[in-house]
Every structure is written in structure tokens, then in C-alpha cells.
Amino acid sequence: MVRSMPILSPVELLGSLSRDQRLLGLDLGSKTIGLALSDVSRTIATPFDTIRRTKFTKDAEQLLAIVDKQDVGGLVLGLPVEMDGFEGPRCQSVRSFAANLARLRDMPIAYWDERLSTSAVTRTLLEADSSRKRRAEVVDKMAAAYILQGLLDNRSGFA
């Protein structure tokens, strides 16, 4: 029997990790999954990789291989809340992904509001005068880093 992956608050997620475990931030898109890794002190999020989405089973295999190789103790999934604060179909898709992943691996996850993460990253890349091709190559993993860094930076604000 596979245990269910617990959904935790950000502070609970951070408290559940052993000393040298990293966090893996995910920006779940319809075509790609952007990935970012924290350092072991969980201070800095770094863009890591992008998984081109195919079928859930293959996507999960790639993701869990990275989890194992990088000693990841928890996942931070960007939750694409609407600007008015409501959860639309994209949030349901993220929650479904987490539920399906729970059937495969018992690992804690937390959601982090990702409103405007992709647009903020795109704006930064435009200001840096990145080419369209370069922006397409890095935007998803940079958005994942933006999401993960948001959680890491707000640790002191957790109640």
C-alpha cells in the first residue's frame, strides 16, 4: 500500500526536512515542468531543468529520478491562483498532479501562490535583452526558481 503524500503548509514542509535535504520547486505548465533546486541550507533557489511533458507516468519517472539524485526532501508546487484570488481549472490541474504523484511516492509537498511568476521572469529576461529563443529555453525553470525563492524568502513571515 502506498501512503499518501501529505500536503503541508510551507512552514510544516520546511520543518519536515532533514538537515541536508533540498527542496524542488515546480512550475507546472501544460507543455513543460520547470524545475528549480534549493541549496541544502534552503536559502537560494536555482533554476535547474525543464521536463517536456508527455504522459504523467513518464513525467513522474523523470521527476522522481531527479528527487532521488538530488536528495530532495519536499516539493514546492506553484499554484496558479487567479488574480481575484479564486482557484480556476489550472489550480485543479496542479492539485491533480500532486494527488497522482502521491500514489507513487510518499514525500511532503506545499503549494505556493505563483501569480505573475512567469510574467515577472519574462519581464526580467526582456530587460536583460534576452533573445526570444533564449527566453523560451529558460523561462519555465526560472519561473520555478521564482516560486521556490518566494517560499524561501518568506520563511520569517510564516505563522
Side-chain angles (χ1 to χ4, degrees):
M1 180 175 145
V2 176
R3 295 179 2 211
S4 176
M5 180 189 316
I7 306 296
L8 303 175
S9 71
V11 72
E12 291 170 328
L13 174 68
L14 290 165
S16 74
L17 302 174
S18 65
R19 183 174 181 181
D20 292 329
Q21 287 183 311
R22 300 170 184 260
L23 287 172
L24 184 66
L26 282 74
D27 179 36
L28 292 168
S30 59
K31 297 179 183 177
T32 61
I33 302 172
L35 305 174
L37 272 175
S38 74
D39 60 329
V40 294
S41 67
R42 294 181 290 278
T43 305
I44 299 170
T46 303
F48 180 72
D49 202 358
T50 302
I51 295 174
R52 177 100 14 229
R53 294 189 81 168
T54 56
K55 293 188 176 187
F56 173 78
T57 304
K58 184 167 170 50
D59 299 346
E61 280 176 13
Q62 290 181 66
L63 181 62
L64 293 174
I66 291 166
V67 164
D68 293 338
K69 185 174 183 179
Q70 299 296 328
D71 195 23
V72 171
L75 303 177
V76 177
L77 276 66
L79 195 61
V81 178
E82 302 288 340
M83 291 306 294
D84 59 9
F86 288 100
E87 292 190 12
R90 292 181 56 227
C91 285
Q92 181 56 43
S93 177
V94 169
R95 292 184 188 280
S96 293
F97 184 91
N100 289 333
L101 199 57
R103 295 184 184 104
L104 302 176
R105 178 73 59 94
D106 180 26
M107 182 171 34
I109 69 168
Y111 298 118
W112 189 256
D113 184 346
E114 71 161 46
R115 275 181 271 195
L116 302 178
S117 61
T118 301
S119 60
V121 167
T122 301
R123 187 172 44 255
T124 300
L125 290 168
L126 285 168
E127 289 170 2
D129 204 23
S130 292
S131 69
R132 182 183 308 261
K133 180 181 179 199
R134 180 71 179 142
R135 287 193 309 268
E137 291 171 355
V138 301
V139 69
D140 297 315
K141 61 186 172 184
M142 286 186 68
Y146 186 91
I147 291 162
L148 181 54
Q149 192 67 54
L151 181 138
L152 297 174
D153 287 348
N154 283 286
R155 283 185 288 201
S156 61
F158 297 148

